[in-house]
Amino acid sequence: MTNEELWQTVLAQIQLNISQANFATWFKNTEILSQKEGKADISVPNSFVKEWLENKYNKNILKILHSLNEDIKEIKYTVGKIKVKIIKKPLITLSETDQLEFQEFKIDKETNLNPRYIFSSFVVGPFNELPHAAATAITEKPGFVYNPLFIYGGVGLGKTHLLQAIGNEIIRKFKKKKIRYISSEKFTSEVVSSIKNHQIDNFKTKYRAIDVLIIDDVQFLAGKEKTQEEFFHIFNVLYENNKQIVISSDSPPKAIQALTERLRSRFEGGMIVDISAPDLETRTAILKTKAQEKKVSFSDEIYQYLASTIQKNIRELEGALNRLIIYQKLNNQQPDLETAKTLLKNLLSAPTKIVTPRKIIQKVAEFYDLKEKDLLDSSRKKEIVRPRQIAMFILREDLKSSFPFIGRKFNGRDHTTAIHSYKKILGEVKKDKKLEEEINLIKERIFNS
Ligand code: ADP
Ligand code: MG
């Protein structure tokens, strides 16, 4: 990529994440002057902008730059000479609808629903057939089919999409019904603040008047007894009046820790369905649908590559696709496979894939000002034993290395030594906040460099 392409790509990504006004204020008339020796030199129009970018946006800009060119580790901002610029057409202007879509602006204040999440954009495959069928069924006769409907599954598999689609569809069919979608965290904070402000009666009245109550990520109610109690009462009133309740969670009711028994048995009284991870065909179908929605298309090779590399999470699948879409809009051409791989490099490589045992040992040694050799050798000095145990601990925790393997890495020690080290540090970390922070610092060096 040329400097200009690089910077335009950065701008395109930033544009997705901040308001138009901010974008125009802080990023107008900026450009890359050079990139060398790990440093990118960005020209800015004045010192005010310089300061602002340094303090507020530097981290973000660096992250994006680094993802596009791994060599870049630092940014310098230079106040440019004021020069009369030939105004060039920007390489990319995202249309307003793109922006709205990305930023999810149009959330309805009454219902909290995002119109983007509808059934017609929800791809159905074997992994989500059942929850989808249950969801559409209740939109026919809210309150009378499955009540409550409890949907659970891992992160990024479409729970929120499905829950909101239910809400949007019911509104479409029954204009008069009062619908409220809310995350359990937001629900909790409403309970807390209405107690604080002596508004709890208003709060109750408001919720009891609802026809369809949709609560997302109910696992976050765990341990919040007061909130659970309020929810329990609201639940009962709604339930007795045949109002529809829809719930999502990351696990089935049985597995949610610290959920009061009566709430659990309420949840279990209705229909419980799970969303699992999509299979390869469905992943490909999802990609194609999303691309079509955004009016772009890619070669089959690219869909194949994405669908086979990102297996567990539809949100990540979408993120990767969006990155390719931006590239395509910028360059007015489809990326080929090699380009796609480069563009997605930092999205796809989980840290465990690039971090080697060697690197862990290196970084731990460095952190404690020791030589690698010290860690591996047989010294029993306390200042060495402990870092060695920490290195073993990280190998186990983050690389999931087996104990015999760890033993071997440390000059052929026995696996029992590795087990002992791991358990020792594990026990201490639980009690010792400082040690935990220390290890986190080390991990940061290991995984972020
Ligand atoms: P969850 O709430 O389970 O973490 P989301 O509902 O937020 O997951 O889904 C993550 C992203 O993936 C959303 O942008 C959503 O639109 C998309 N998505 C999930 N499942 C599907 C599907 N079956 N078809 C199309 N898009 C989906
Ligand atoms: Mg969700």
Side-chain angles (χ1 to χ4, degrees):
M1 272 194 230
T2 64
N3 281 345
E4 176 161 5
E5 278 168 359
L6 181 68
W7 190 238
Q8 288 296 328
T9 312
V10 173
L11 293 183
Q13 294 214 19
I14 287 174
Q15 211 175 7
L16 298 178
N17 297 315
I18 68 176
S19 72
Q20 268 306 358
N22 269 335
F23 184 76
T25 314
W26 306 117
F27 291 93
K28 208 169 62 187
N29 295 333
T30 56
E31 63 184 350
I32 286 201
L33 298 172
S34 66
Q35 35 167 333
K36 53 178 179 248
E37 286 153 20
K39 204 183 261 182
D41 191 355
I42 312 289
S43 154
V44 296
N46 57 51
S47 55
F48 190 51
V49 169
K50 173 172 189 277
E51 203 172 299
W52 198 266
L53 292 186
E54 278 171 350
N55 293 332
K56 277 211 73 157
Y57 292 110
N58 186 53
K59 223 168 126 191
N60 259 332
I61 302 172
L62 185 60
K63 201 167 138 199
I64 301 172
L65 269 172
H66 185 72
S67 75
L68 297 164
N69 178 351
E70 275 192 338
D71 296 335
I72 299 178
K73 303 239 160 61
E74 203 185 321
I75 304 179
K76 185 174 142 213
Y77 300 90
T78 309
V79 179
K81 295 202 188 73
I82 299 173
K83 51 183 175 185
V84 184
K85 248 191 140 178
I86 304 158
I87 297 172
K88 270 203 216 145
K89 218 173 117 234
L91 285 172
I92 174 177
T93 36
L94 288 167
S95 70
E96 196 150 333
T97 49
D98 280 342
Q99 285 246 341
L100 288 175
E101 223 171 25
F102 279 104
Q103 302 202 345
E104 304 183 353
F105 272 177
K106 295 183 283 187
I107 294 168
D108 185 292
K109 289 226 167 49
E110 278 288 301
T111 64
N112 282 333
L113 288 170
N114 182 335
R116 175 173 106 86
Y117 295 119
I118 44 180
F119 281 120
S120 62
S121 62
F122 191 79
V123 177
V124 184
F127 74 107
N128 63 8
E129 210 173 351
L130 203 59
H132 175 261
T136 43
I138 61 172
T139 64
E140 300 291 330
K141 266 186 118 196
F144 289 90
V145 200
Y146 308 119
N147 208 11
L149 173 62
F150 189 104
I151 299 174
Y152 72 91
V155 177
L157 295 180
K159 300 183 297 296
T160 296
H161 190 139
L162 201 51
L163 257 56
Q164 296 228 13
I166 293 174
N168 280 319
E169 181 66 12
I170 294 181
I171 289 237
R172 205 176 64 81
K173 287 200 178 115
F174 307 90
K175 297 228 159 19
K176 295 220 174 86
K177 285 208 187 296
K178 273 209 169 115
I179 301 186
R180 188 162 176 85
Y181 164 89
I182 190 158
S183 69
S184 74
E185 286 154 305
K186 191 117 180 279
F187 183 83
T188 303
S189 73
E190 280 190 14
V191 170
V192 172
S193 78
S194 52
I195 291 174
K196 207 173 107 208
N197 303 324
H198 310 291
Q199 297 282 321
I200 194 77
D201 287 335
N202 283 351
F203 173 84
K204 285 180 179 160
T205 315
K206 180 173 94 179
Y207 273 90
R208 286 172 185 176
I210 288 170
D211 296 305
V212 180
L213 178 60
I214 305 173
I215 302 237
D216 206 353
D217 287 324
V218 87
Q219 73 271 14
F220 295 125
L221 290 186
K224 302 186 177 118
E225 281 180 26
K226 182 66 195 159
T227 308
Q228 288 190 29
E229 191 184 315
E230 291 307 333
F231 183 59
F232 180 75
H233 293 305
I234 291 168
F235 185 106
N236 284 342
V237 173
L238 295 181
Y239 183 80
E240 279 154 20
N241 289 297
N242 288 323
K243 308 296 188 183
Q244 180 69 47
I245 299 154
V246 186
I247 299 160
S248 89
S249 167
D250 66 351
S251 43
K254 263 204 290 303
I256 308 176
Q257 303 287 325
L259 194 64
T260 57
E261 203 41 54
R262 50 184 192 172
L263 206 48
R264 192 189 317 273
S265 70
R266 279 292 181 231
F267 290 169
E268 285 175 342
M271 170 84 156
I272 302 180
V273 284
D274 75 308
I275 300 193
S276 53
D279 53 288
L280 183 69
E281 283 78 49
T282 320
R283 293 201 295 277
T284 315
I286 289 173
L287 285 169
K288 289 187 173 165
T289 314
K290 303 258 170 204
Q292 208 173 33
E293 276 170 22
K294 304 227 163 95
K295 305 198 174 52
V296 288
S297 67
F298 297 94
S299 66
D300 277 343
E301 200 179 41
I302 297 240
Y303 291 126
Q304 272 300 321
Y305 171 68
L306 285 177
S308 54
T309 344
I310 308 174
Q311 305 182 344
K312 297 223 169 78
N313 188 322
I314 299 173
R315 186 174 300 132
E316 278 172 18
L317 210 55
E318 231 181 339
L321 187 73
N322 281 340
R323 199 169 274 198
L324 299 189
I325 292 176
I326 289 174
Y327 175 93
Q328 177 149 342
K329 290 196 177 177
L330 258 169
N331 297 287
N332 250 330
Q333 67 176 23
Q334 293 189 1
D336 58 23
L337 189 59
E338 278 317 300
T339 314
K341 282 185 183 169
T342 319
L343 286 168
L344 301 175
K345 213 152 99 197
N346 72 324
L347 267 191
L348 302 184
S349 49
T352 45
K353 286 195 198 122
I354 38 172
V355 169
T356 58
R358 176 82 203 282
K359 185 168 184 197
I360 291 181
I361 293 167
Q362 239 173 18
K363 292 285 168 185
V364 173
E366 205 179 283
F367 189 86
Y368 293 103
D369 259 336
L370 300 169
K371 299 207 180 63
E372 266 173 69
K373 194 167 158 300
D374 296 334
L375 281 190
L376 303 178
D377 281 353
S378 55
S379 164
R380 292 186 173 269
K381 279 194 211 143
K382 192 166 162 251
E383 344 44 292
I384 295 181
V385 171
R386 187 156 177 90
R388 186 186 293 139
Q389 290 173 336
I390 290 178
M392 291 188 178
F393 172 78
I394 297 177
L395 269 167
R396 174 69 189 174
E397 258 217 339
D398 292 84
L399 292 198
K400 312 278 178 246
S401 306
S402 75
F403 291 119
F405 175 85
I406 297 174
R408 278 200 300 278
K409 282 281 151 200
F410 287 79
N411 274 3
R413 284 179 166 77
D414 192 61
H415 72 279
T416 50
T417 312
I419 295 178
H420 171 77
S421 302
Y422 172 71
K423 286 200 173 151
K424 181 149 192 294
I425 301 294
L426 185 68
E428 284 177 28
V429 162
K430 283 191 187 134
K431 285 179 252 150
D432 183 350
K433 217 84 219 124
K434 260 184 67 193
L435 177 64
E436 189 187 341
E437 277 167 17
E438 193 170 309
I439 293 181
N440 283 340
L441 278 178
I442 300 174
K443 285 191 187 173
E444 220 174 275
R445 293 195 186 182
I446 295 171
F447 293 104
N448 295 340
S449 67

